């Protein structure tokens, strides 16, 4: 099984480490400073306070004839089209797009070719400091790695991908409608990111009751509107929709001040403000268009 990780940020690097640990043949496609870092030091990661090196090849060029069983596309939203155009003529059959998006995938399929795209979303977070990855998988109860065919059907390749995740000890779920799932996900994460951007002290935003209350209100409003349109997914988000706002504010305060909040929310929001602000616009434009 040959796997290519296209994008060597936190998400791509973590999945590369996890796949390589169980013996998959992994290559990482990187550019710029990260490419030089990987070529010089290798894919370093923190494992229980010890720095280790993953068994992964580092490449800076992808030829059309280079074959991989699965290509995992782990770039930011604004770089998705560029990456897909680069992969357009490559012969690999399966491109797993682990990207935050509001798209219904039709535009991406027009670029990459129909039948090649397999939408997914990672369940992970962390950071890279001095060339060393310090990242972890999101607790499975909160957000396992999520994927599914565009048409909602189970297929041979979803079964193969599930086996890859299972062997790599990556919690996963297969959902029948990735488009609805991703819209709902944005309805959740956009207000969380907005909370950091509103605050004069993002690291301690949990201390600001006004921002926490506003975030709780926006979450409930998003879930109500998504439910009204028959989009809200997964069903567990209905619990937050019906949760009293004061209890939701208290819960959010606890999450924002937690280690989980630091690793999986704060670091990403601070590292990718332009991506999150673009997703903010995309989400609310989409919701307005649905009225």
């Amino acid at each position: 099984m040959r796997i290519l990780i296209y994008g060597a940020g936190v998400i791509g690097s973590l999945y590369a480490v996890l796949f390589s640990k169980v013996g998959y043949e992994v290559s990482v496609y990187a550019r710029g400073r990260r490419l030089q870092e990987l070529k010089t030091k290798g894919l370093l990661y923190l494992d229980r306070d010890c720095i280790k090196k993953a068994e992964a090849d580092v490449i800076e060029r992808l030829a059309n004839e280079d074959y991989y069983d699965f290509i995992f596309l782990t770039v930011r939203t604004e770089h998705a089209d560029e990456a897909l155009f680069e992969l357009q003529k490559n012969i690999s059959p399966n491109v797993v797009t682990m990207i935050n998006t509001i798209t219904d995938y039709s535009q991406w399929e027009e670029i990459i070719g129909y039948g090649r795209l397999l939408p997914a979303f990672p369940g992970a977070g962390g950071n890279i400091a001095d060339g060393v990855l310090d990242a972890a998988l999101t607790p499975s109860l909160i957000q396992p790695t999520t994927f599914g065919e565009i048409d909602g059907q189970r297929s041979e390749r979803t079964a193969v991908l599930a086996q890859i995740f299972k062997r790599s000890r990556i919690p996963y779920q297969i959902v029948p409608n990735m488009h609805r799932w991703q819209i709902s996900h944005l309805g959740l994460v956009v207000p969380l990111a907005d909370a950091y951007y509103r605050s004069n002290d993002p690291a301690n935003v949990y201390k600001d009751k006004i921002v926490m209350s506003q975030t709780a209100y926006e979450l409930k409003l998003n879930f109500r509107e998504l439910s009204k349109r028959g989009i809200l997914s997964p069903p567990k988000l209905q619990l937050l929709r019906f949760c009293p706002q004061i209890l939701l504010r208290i819960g959010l305060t606890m999450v924002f001040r937690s280690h989980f909040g630091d690793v999986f929310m704060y670091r990403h929001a601070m590292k990718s403000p332009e991506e999150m602000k673009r997703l903010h616009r995309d989400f609310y434009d989409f919701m307005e268009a649905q009225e």
Side-chain angles (χ1 to χ4, degrees):
M1 179 72 66
R2 301 190 72 220
I3 293 173
L4 174 65
I5 306 295
Y6 186 114
V10 171
I11 300 301
S13 296
L14 178 59
Y15 281 81
V17 167
L18 296 174
F19 293 149
S20 67
K21 274 186 175 182
V22 295
Y24 288 116
E25 185 180 344
V26 178
S27 296
V28 178
Y29 179 95
R31 290 178 174 176
R33 185 177 66 179
R34 183 62 173 149
L35 171 62
Q36 298 308 314
E37 210 168 48
L38 291 170
K39 288 174 68 175
T40 303
K41 303 177 182 178
L43 179 48
L44 303 180
Y45 64 98
L46 203 59
D47 184 6
R48 298 179 182 178
D49 297 324
C50 294
I51 296 176
K52 298 183 179 180
K53 183 186 292 187
E55 294 292 331
D57 292 329
V58 179
I59 65 172
E60 56 184 303
R61 179 181 173 274
L62 180 66
N64 292 340
E65 63 273 15
D66 291 342
Y67 181 92
Y68 295 91
D69 296 282
F70 286 92
I71 295 177
F72 289 82
L73 191 57
T74 59
V75 299
R76 292 181 183 175
T77 309
E78 61 266 31
H79 301 309
D81 285 5
E82 177 188 355
L84 289 167
F85 273 116
E86 186 169 4
L87 293 171
Q88 190 178 57
K89 295 182 180 180
N90 178 267
I91 63 173
S92 302
N94 305 303
V95 179
V96 183
T97 54
M98 302 183 82
I99 301 174
N100 237 335
T101 184
I102 201 79
T103 181
D104 63 0
Y105 313 117
S106 58
Q107 179 180 334
W108 287 357
E109 279 201 300
E110 287 179 8
I111 298 172
I112 197 67
Y114 291 94
R116 294 181 69 194
L117 199 71
L118 184 54
F121 194 83
N127 70 317
I128 298 172
D130 297 324
V132 180
L133 174 71
D134 181 9
L137 295 170
T138 312
S140 59
L141 183 63
I142 297 175
Q143 186 184 300
T145 297
T146 303
F147 66 99
E149 294 284 3
I150 293 174
D151 63 7
Q153 300 298 310
R154 296 294 180 103
S155 64
E156 181 179 346
R157 69 175 178 172
T158 58
V160 173
L161 187 54
Q163 186 58 38
I164 291 172
F165 288 138
K166 184 176 181 180
R167 181 180 172 188
S168 305
R169 299 181 180 178
I170 298 172
Y172 69 88
Q173 63 179 348
I174 304 175
V175 297
N177 193 315
M178 273 300 298
H179 181 46
R180 289 183 179 180
W181 186 94
Q182 291 212 284
I183 294 169
S184 300
H185 178 74
L186 287 177
L188 171 66
V189 301
V190 163
L192 300 182
D194 287 346
Y196 291 114
Y197 305 143
R198 288 193 185 103
S199 175
N200 294 323
D201 184 13
N204 296 300
V205 66
Y206 62 87
K207 296 179 181 179
D208 191 327
K209 291 184 178 180
I210 294 176
V211 173
M212 290 293 96
S213 293
Q214 188 171 0
T215 304
Y217 171 78
E218 290 177 355
L219 283 172
K220 287 179 63 65
L221 179 62
N222 285 351
F223 295 153
R224 185 185 73 194
E225 294 302 313
L226 287 167
S227 182
K228 187 190 301 183
R229 292 163 175 76
I231 294 174
L232 192 61
S233 172
K236 66 183 179 182
L237 292 181
Q238 294 284 359
L239 297 176
L240 297 180
R241 177 189 166 209
F242 290 111
C243 180
Q245 187 169 324
I246 188 171
L247 293 182
L248 186 54
R249 176 180 66 79
I250 292 170
L252 285 171
T253 300
M254 295 173 64
V255 171
F256 272 89
R257 73 182 298 176
S258 68
H259 176 70
F260 171 88
D262 174 58
V263 173
F264 298 103
M265 292 162 47
Y266 174 74
R267 295 184 190 182
H268 179 72
M270 293 298 99
K271 184 179 65 178
S272 310
E274 293 308 314
E275 178 186 33
M276 291 310 302
K277 289 174 183 178
R278 172 178 172 167
L279 290 168
H280 171 111
R281 294 191 299 270
D282 289 348
F283 174 75
Y284 288 111
D285 285 349
F286 172 85
M287 294 299 287
E288 185 176 349
Q290 299 299 306
E291 291 181 355

